[in-house]
Amino acid sequence: MKEKILYIVDQFLFSAVNFIVFIILDYRFDVDDVAQYAIMISAAAFLLNFGFAIKVERLLFSSDRLFSANDFFVLCMLLFIASVVLYFLLWFTYAGGFWLAMVMFTSSVLWVIRRVCVLDSKRVKYSVAATLVVGTLASLSAYVCNVYVDVLMLVCLVNCMALIYLSLLTIKKKNESFKDNVFSIFADPPALAKSVMLVPLLWFPSNGIYLFLASLGSPAAIVEVRKLLMLLSPIQQISGAMINFVFSKGGGYKVTYLEVWVAPLTITLIVTPVAAILYGTLLDGTSEGIFMWAAFALIVFAMIVISLLQSNLRVLGKQASVIASLAVAVAVKLSFLFGFYSFGEGGVGVTDSLVSMAAAYALSALFLYIFFVNDKRISRWTR
């Protein structure tokens, strides 16, 4: 129980850091700048999934859960190349584009190393310490600086400090050759293919909306959706804590019906009204009606269920089941978004965004549960 609590505290602090920094930026800077920051965070989440798939997921099946120096270098190299590509695609003509890309790069590397760090429950406390430092300094930077680019520069510097600290804890002394390390990525092509396929599928249900709002919506809609997703962030971090905890157990954790259904439902009933109050007061949001909050509640419930089930399936090598369920989520979300755009008025709105997410998450959770209870290796865990 102590381990679970520590994982939840770690993820909660991580959520609070992002929430506070975003709120300060929202109050102090232009809506266009805040919208670009929201897109950057979404892109960093994509790079996190990419880095995890390429260099970290294989550690789930290993007793040695440390990076080598070459692991770290290859990870940085891959994420830097991806960051350069995203910079030219998203921010080449944007005034603060270079530093947005740098924050995205350093954040994604930091988040991946943080994932490696918490694979061992004994190292979670160090992740907590690093998160506290990053959160405090990043929040102060956003509050004190009057120039948006200066905030980005300081956040980048803070990320580098935390990255160095956690890297020293996760890099092992014994090292393999650089050539062997690079080619070890391709040692198991089927497993690599499944891991890479999971990258966009894990990212799109909650983050893909920014791609649509950037072209089919408006900067104001991006900011409003980001506010709502920030209110979902504590749930995402609880889900992340569950994932990290299950990964740390390497397949030895037994899931109960209480965790799969009762706990998510209880959390949903508590979180949704609190989020509605915070959205209307602290965040100055404009609620669009009961459908928006019904969708929000369904997202909260399904998000927790998905995190618990997909982490157990992945740690037992059942990536194909996760891929199938998430592919359904992506197809459903795309169908809803194109439907709203085609038959609605004024492009894709805030409620449209949440309804599409809710439908995608709900069906994904249902398919994951079907795969979970019908797998002979793990169905006994739920009984």
Side-chain angles (χ1 to χ4, degrees), residues 32-284:
D32 289 338
D33 290 331
V34 178
Q36 292 302 320
Y37 187 86
I39 293 172
M40 181 275 294
I41 292 295
S42 177
F46 180 86
L47 294 183
L48 163 63
N49 289 333
F50 176 71
F52 188 90
I54 296 297
K55 296 301 295 180
V56 181
E57 189 149 7
R58 63 184 177 82
L59 297 179
L60 301 179
F61 311 101
S62 171
S63 57
D64 182 10
R65 297 189 163 191
L66 291 171
F67 257 22
S68 68
N70 284 334
D71 278 322
F72 180 69
F73 180 79
V74 171
L75 172 70
C76 291
M77 180 180 66
L78 291 173
L79 294 186
F80 180 76
I81 293 172
S83 297
V84 170
V85 172
L86 288 174
Y87 164 71
F88 282 104
L89 289 175
L90 299 175
W91 302 302
F92 183 65
T93 59
Y94 177 64
F98 173 79
W99 285 107
L100 265 178
M102 289 303 297
V103 173
M104 177 182 66
F105 167 66
T106 56
S107 295
S108 61
V109 178
L110 176 60
W111 295 351
V112 174
I113 293 299
R114 183 173 164 275
R115 279 284 184 92
V116 176
C117 185
V118 300
L119 285 178
D120 185 346
S121 58
K122 295 179 181 178
R123 299 197 298 257
V124 178
K125 58 187 177 182
Y126 302 115
S127 176
V128 171
T131 303
L132 278 173
V133 173
V134 169
T136 302
L137 295 179
S139 299
L140 285 173
S141 300
Y143 184 76
V144 172
C145 293
N146 294 318
V147 180
Y148 181 68
V149 173
D150 290 347
V151 176
L152 298 178
M153 293 172 61
L154 289 173
V155 171
C156 184
L157 177 61
V158 169
N159 284 342
C160 290
M161 292 168 54
L163 182 56
I164 293 171
Y165 171 68
L166 290 182
S167 297
L168 294 174
L169 298 171
T170 55
I171 294 178
K172 58 187 177 183
K173 295 180 180 179
K174 185 179 179 181
N175 208 2
E176 58 188 342
S177 71
F178 178 75
K179 180 180 178 180
D180 291 340
N181 186 283
V182 172
F183 283 101
S184 68
I185 298 174
F186 307 99
D188 189 352
L192 176 64
K194 291 177 182 178
S195 295
V196 171
M197 287 176 66
L198 281 171
V199 173
L201 295 176
L202 285 168
W203 175 84
F204 188 83
S206 60
N207 291 281
I209 187 61
Y210 295 112
L211 297 177
F212 281 82
L213 292 179
S215 56
L216 307 179
S218 66
I222 293 176
V223 173
E224 289 304 310
V225 169
R226 184 60 193 170
K227 288 179 181 179
L228 288 163
L229 293 185
M230 291 303 294
L231 290 172
L232 278 171
S233 186
I235 304 305
Q236 290 177 315
Q237 302 316 318
I238 290 174
S239 301
M242 292 178 178
I243 292 172
N244 291 337
F245 181 76
V246 172
F247 283 169
S248 73
K249 296 302 177 184
Y253 183 65
K254 295 184 178 181
V255 183
T256 66
Y257 280 123
L258 178 68
E259 291 172 312
V260 173
W261 297 117
V262 179
L265 181 59
T266 303
I267 293 172
T268 300
L269 294 175
I270 295 172
V271 166
T272 303
V274 173
I277 294 170
L278 290 175
Y279 181 70
T281 55
L282 179 64
L283 302 182
D284 295 325

Side-chain angles (χ1 to χ4, degrees), residues 282-343:
L282 179 64
L283 302 182
D284 295 325
T286 54
S287 178
E288 297 189 8
I290 189 65
F291 286 109
M292 187 179 85
W293 291 110
F296 185 93
L298 184 55
I299 293 169
V300 171
F301 176 81
M303 187 181 290
I304 300 173
V305 174
I306 289 171
S307 298
L308 190 59
L309 297 184
Q310 64 99 349
S311 58
N312 275 283
L313 288 166
R314 287 172 71 186
V315 83
L316 291 174
K318 300 293 181 178
Q319 283 89 345
S321 297
V322 181
I323 290 171
S325 67
L326 293 175
V328 170
V330 171
V332 169
K333 183 168 184 175
L334 286 172
S335 299
F336 270 74
L337 287 172
F338 280 119
F340 286 133
Y341 179 71
S342 300
F343 301 105

Side-chain angles (χ1 to χ4, degrees), residues 322-380:
V322 181
I323 290 171
S325 67
L326 293 175
V328 170
V330 171
V332 169
K333 183 168 184 175
L334 286 172
S335 299
F336 270 74
L337 287 172
F338 280 119
F340 286 133
Y341 179 71
S342 300
F343 301 105
E345 297 180 1
V348 178
V350 177
T351 298
D352 299 338
S353 303
L354 261 67
V355 169
S356 66
M357 286 178 60
Y361 272 118
L363 281 177
S364 180
L366 177 61
F367 273 80
L368 277 173
Y369 186 72
I370 292 171
F371 289 131
F372 187 78
V373 298
N374 285 285
D375 192 294
K376 293 181 180 180
R377 289 179 59 195
I378 55 181
S379 61
R380 61 185 176 82

